[in-house]
Amino acid sequence: MDGETDVSLRSQEDRREDRAPEELIGPGRLILVVGPSGAGKDSVLRGARDRLAHDARYVFPRRSVTRPPSADEDNLSLNEDAFVALIDADAFALHWRAHGHRYGVPRAIDTAIARGATVICNVSRTVLDTARLRYQHVTVVGITASRDVLAARIFGRARESEDEATKRLDRAAALRSVRVDVEIDNGGALDDAVTAFVAVVARPN
């Protein structure tokens, strides 16, 4: 999926967010979801969003992405120039590059976290250190599945060439080295994974 590959060389503007603020943003929580392509991160997030839709304490921000919209994701599609303009305007709390595209989480999450909300979003592993330097309470949730399950999902969706699908599968191994606070196996029933994820989200700080 979109947030799991290495960030390419970033410009000076891109690196601005690596500087920690004088005070960490809180008291709310930031739940960051990572995992390999095919693990079903978006499915788990969608299930959790549906369950928590009527509870204002939980915020699922809409990301900005420099690629066409997908039926599986609720992203704001932007071209490269528009995205860079938002970087220059300091409109993103977190942003990164992956698979030749840019992804950004809106600065509005800072306000939500400052008022005590729990913000949940799917990100790249490359922004985890930045997030831990910016926010008081960060929980990183790794969504996983066996290699066989990942392969079946990646090749089954026929969204890219066989070569690119194979590269995505191979990159899954690199994600195993990422330090997460909670790991959830989504290789079985989706409802079970969503239940486990909602339990993590609902924990107090």
Side-chain angles (χ1 to χ4, degrees):
M1 302 292 278
D2 46 270
E4 317 316 324
T5 59
D6 289 333
V7 167
S8 60
L9 290 175
R10 296 183 295 172
S11 66
Q12 183 176 355
E13 289 81 3
D14 290 319
R15 290 192 296 269
R16 289 185 308 186
E17 68 182 54
D18 290 336
R19 298 196 301 268
E22 293 183 1
E23 295 184 7
L24 298 183
I25 299 170
R29 298 174 66 202
L30 179 59
I31 309 293
L32 300 178
V33 178
V34 298
S37 294
K41 300 183 298 296
D42 291 317
S43 296
V44 172
L45 281 169
R46 189 162 49 248
R49 185 172 60 241
D50 289 344
R51 293 192 189 186
L52 300 170
H54 302 296
D55 194 329
R57 294 175 298 172
Y58 303 103
V59 176
F60 293 80
R62 191 181 188 196
R63 300 183 308 175
S64 295
V65 183
T66 57
R67 60 173 170 76
S70 166
D72 296 326
E73 303 168 319
D74 182 24
N75 294 325
L76 176 63
S77 181
L78 301 175
N79 62 32
E80 180 77 9
D81 289 343
F83 195 99
V84 171
L86 288 176
I87 292 176
D88 291 340
D90 199 27
F92 295 123
L94 299 166
H95 61 90
W96 62 94
R97 299 176 190 261
H99 304 303
H101 301 290
R102 293 177 183 258
Y103 299 80
V105 178
R107 178 69 64 187
I109 72 167
D110 292 357
T111 302
I113 291 171
R115 67 173 171 78
T118 294
V119 172
I120 306 106
C121 54
N122 175 8
V123 301
S124 166
R125 69 182 187 271
T126 57
V127 300
L128 297 182
D129 288 343
T130 297
R132 288 186 172 110
L133 289 172
R134 286 179 50 84
Y135 301 95
Q136 289 181 19
H137 305 291
V138 177
T139 300
V140 179
V141 180
I143 305 296
T144 66
S146 70
R147 184 178 176 85
D148 288 345
V149 170
L150 296 179
R153 291 173 179 171
I154 292 172
F155 286 99
R157 65 193 181 193
R159 209 165 63 185
E160 54 215 346
S161 69
E162 183 174 343
D163 181 61
E164 181 58 31
T166 299
K167 289 179 181 178
R168 283 184 182 267
L169 186 59
D170 290 341
R171 283 192 291 262
L175 276 167
R176 297 190 180 280
S177 64
V178 176
R179 179 171 63 90
V180 301
D181 300 302
V182 180
E183 186 170 289
I184 294 174
D185 190 327
N186 188 32
L190 174 60
D191 194 60
D192 291 342
V194 172
T195 296
F197 183 76
V198 170
V200 172
V201 169
R203 291 177 186 172
N205 291 337

